[in-house]
Amino acid sequence: MPFASIAVEELLLVLKIAFVVLLYLFIWRIVRTASKDLRMPQESFILAPSQAQDMAVVRDSGPRDVGRLVVVRSPTLEPGEGRMLDSAPLTVGRGPQNDIALDGDDYASAKHARIEPRRDGVWVEDIGSTNGTYLNGIKLTRARKLTPGDVVRVGETELRYET
């Protein structure tokens, strides 16, 4: 019997040592991962006083007119009908939650495209539509900057960008 007792004690000792080794390996992995994250460059959320003033000017400027979208052809909207663009992005699609709702356009998706004014201009982007969004007859694969006279096609609706 004493031999069995010694074997159990040795087994427990080995298990304790294995547990401590695994614990140290786990802590070492956490420290290594955290140190890698600390070495990577981080963006600062603190603005210099000059940047804060610039941001205040942009924030206080309110909505600004950056152009308009004019209906060229559409099964649901009247040709010549326009929508002014300000600093807020617009969504275009068949669903009622869109800023420009194309409820009678069977080829438009519920959420089809986003037209977003940015500091460097107005951009159009397909947001996962089934049939795609077209800019001057070319299917969009990424966001594109609009220039005056560009025609955006969403479903069977064509919208011309004007400044």
Side-chain angles (χ1 to χ4, degrees):
M1 289 285 183
F3 180 71
S5 165
I6 293 173
V8 170
E9 287 181 17
E10 288 177 357
L11 178 66
L12 288 175
L13 180 63
V14 169
L15 288 174
K16 287 179 188 178
I17 291 171
F19 177 74
V20 170
V21 168
L22 287 174
L23 184 63
Y24 277 110
L25 283 173
F26 178 72
I27 292 171
W28 175 73
R29 291 288 305 252
I30 290 174
V31 169
R32 193 177 83 175
T33 304
S35 66
K36 281 183 182 177
D37 288 343
L38 290 175
R39 279 184 258 151
M40 291 176 52
Q42 301 278 324
E43 286 189 30
S44 174
F45 292 106
I46 301 172
L47 298 175
S50 62
Q51 291 174 322
Q53 289 172 351
D54 292 343
M55 292 299 291
V57 169
V58 169
R59 204 175 352 194
D60 294 338
S61 63
R64 62 188 197 286
D65 291 337
V66 291
R68 60 186 250 136
L69 294 172
V70 177
V71 178
V72 176
R73 182 173 63 93
S74 175
T76 60
L77 304 173
E78 291 295 319
E81 186 179 332
R83 173 72 190 249
M84 294 300 295
L85 296 172
D86 55 22
S87 56
L90 294 177
T91 56
V92 182
R94 195 173 57 221
Q97 74 278 10
N98 292 292
D99 299 302
I100 299 177
L102 306 173
D103 53 349
D105 192 336
D106 295 332
Y107 293 97
S109 295
K111 288 187 109 178
H112 199 104
R114 177 185 303 119
I115 299 172
E116 183 176 7
R118 300 178 186 167
R119 287 182 176 222
D120 60 342
V122 177
W123 292 73
V124 62
E125 173 182 26
D126 185 89
I127 51 177
S129 67
T130 304
N131 295 322
T133 302
Y134 292 81
L135 176 61
N136 298 325
I138 300 170
K139 189 173 184 176
L140 291 176
T141 55
R142 61 184 174 92
R144 294 283 184 170
K145 185 176 177 182
L146 294 177
T147 57
D150 281 347
V151 175
V152 177
R153 190 175 88 220
V154 172
E156 292 184 304
T157 301
E158 293 182 355
L159 303 166
R160 183 176 60 244
Y161 173 67
E162 299 177 348
T163 54

